[in-house]
Amino acid sequence: MEIQVLGPLSAEVNGASIVPTAGKPRQILALLALYPGRVMPVPTLMEEIWGTKLPESALTTLQTYILQLRRRLGTAMGPGAPGTAKDVLATRHGGYLLQIPQESVDVHSYEALAAAGQNAFDEGDDERAADLLRKALDLWQGPALVDVRVGPILEIEVLRLAESRLVTTERRIDVDLRLGRHTELLAELTELMARNPQHEGLHSQAMVALYRSGRQATALDVYRRLRARLIGELGVEPSQQLQRLHQAMLRVDPALDVVAGPRRSSTFDLYAA
């Protein structure tokens, strides 16, 4: 079985899709896929589907959804499979689980690559870090579970994954900046700033990339526009780190050069206190 949740939900067995068209069984499959080999309690599945307003027939209906998923799974497995659909989508005391290896689900491959990339970053191995982080991000095909109606449990998972994707992207950009790829980053950072208009870390990266590309005035304008937005929308000044980065650009601080700065620090922390 191969399952993808980093984008539209996809689940295939022997090349055949087992993703149901109905919304609630899709939610169940998505939630089970996020935790392969781990029992998902019945109350958690019910909360995901119905929230706090459970119908009287909730348990029976949930069992029907599980049966529908097993039928699709059994059809895809075929008569010659070594096990049955009930072995794969198994019943345990108080819940259900997908008995598949973690590496069958793209999110776990992503998290393993991202963690390895972070370790390489911490060790100062920039080339390896960039390669691993880029491979992790390449697994994304769009926002997580973009075609699944999410309830309260999946909503938390989707938000967590979105934040993880953003953090991994930031780290990969940090590495690319350290490798002198500032010019290549400008288009990507422009889009990221537009999508995250109050994110100081991304703006600091854009400022450094512009500065190193010989566009000091544009880099300073990024700061000016972010400061105006933070004051106008939140009533706060930029952080001390970002203010120090701004001052460093005004005085053409050599620490902003490509090869300068601590090897294990992010761009945003160049001027941390």
Side-chain angles (χ1 to χ4, degrees):
M1 183 183 295
E2 294 184 358
I3 300 180
Q4 296 175 336
V5 299
L6 303 179
L9 176 62
S10 171
E12 293 186 351
V13 176
N14 298 327
S17 174
I18 64 166
V19 178
T21 55
K24 290 181 173 60
R26 289 170 73 90
Q27 287 175 266
I28 294 172
L29 177 60
L31 192 51
L32 292 171
L34 286 169
Y35 296 96
R38 181 168 147 188
V39 176
M40 188 59 55
V42 166
T44 301
L45 291 167
M46 288 181 173
E47 182 182 357
E48 167 59 28
I49 297 172
W50 293 290
T52 58
K53 299 179 180 179
L54 301 182
E56 291 184 6
S57 60
L59 181 58
T60 302
T61 304
L62 175 62
Q63 292 170 340
T64 300
Y65 293 151
I66 294 293
L67 180 60
Q68 291 172 1
L69 288 170
R70 282 178 176 155
R71 284 174 177 165
R72 297 183 69 91
L73 181 57
T75 300
M77 290 172 66
T84 67
K86 201 168 183 178
D87 295 324
V88 179
L89 177 45
T91 302
R92 291 292 182 269
H93 179 69
Y96 301 93
L97 78 156
L98 274 178
Q99 295 202 101
I100 59 175
Q102 284 200 342
E103 56 268 23
S104 297
V105 187
D106 60 352
V107 67
H108 296 286
S109 299
Y110 157 75
E111 289 174 341
L113 286 166
Q118 178 64 52
N119 289 336
F121 178 91
D122 293 339
E123 294 167 1
D125 189 345
D126 292 343
E127 291 285 358
R128 176 171 166 76
D131 180 60
L132 288 167
L133 294 172
R134 191 166 282 106
K135 285 179 178 177
L137 292 166
D138 283 347
L139 292 175
W140 287 76
Q141 304 298 317
L145 299 174
V146 66
D147 60 347
V148 176
R149 185 186 72 82
V150 300
I153 310 300
L154 281 178
E155 182 179 21
I156 294 171
E157 293 297 326
V158 167
L159 290 173
R160 178 184 68 83
L161 289 170
E163 182 62 24
S164 174
R165 183 185 189 185
L166 185 58
V167 169
T168 302
T169 300
E170 278 189 89
R171 182 60 75 233
R172 197 220 78 232
I173 292 172
D174 279 330
V175 177
D176 282 340
L177 284 170
R178 293 200 314 209
L179 291 169
R181 299 168 179 165
H182 35 270
T183 303
E184 296 95 315
L185 292 170
L186 293 178
E188 179 183 9
L189 282 165
T190 298
E191 178 183 356
L192 286 169
M193 284 192 298
R195 293 180 180 275
N196 303 273
Q198 296 176 353
H199 196 296
E200 291 194 0
L202 293 171
H203 282 73
S204 72
Q205 291 176 322
M207 289 169 64
V208 171
L210 287 162
Y211 180 90
R212 291 177 180 172
S213 300
R215 297 170 61 181
Q216 181 184 21
T218 307
L220 294 172
D221 189 55
V222 167
Y223 176 85
R224 180 190 62 78
R225 287 185 282 113
L226 174 62
R227 179 174 182 269
R229 188 178 301 113
L230 291 176
I231 292 174
E233 296 178 5
L234 301 178
V236 298
E237 289 279 352
S239 66
Q240 289 294 314
Q241 288 163 273
L242 201 60
Q243 291 184 44
R244 283 192 284 268
L245 176 61
H246 176 246
Q247 291 299 317
M249 288 185 174
L250 290 173
R251 65 175 184 269
V252 195
D253 190 333
L256 288 167
D257 294 341
V258 176
V259 296
R263 298 297 292 167
R264 300 181 186 182
S265 173
S266 70
T267 306
F268 189 53
D269 289 336
L270 278 174
Y271 291 92

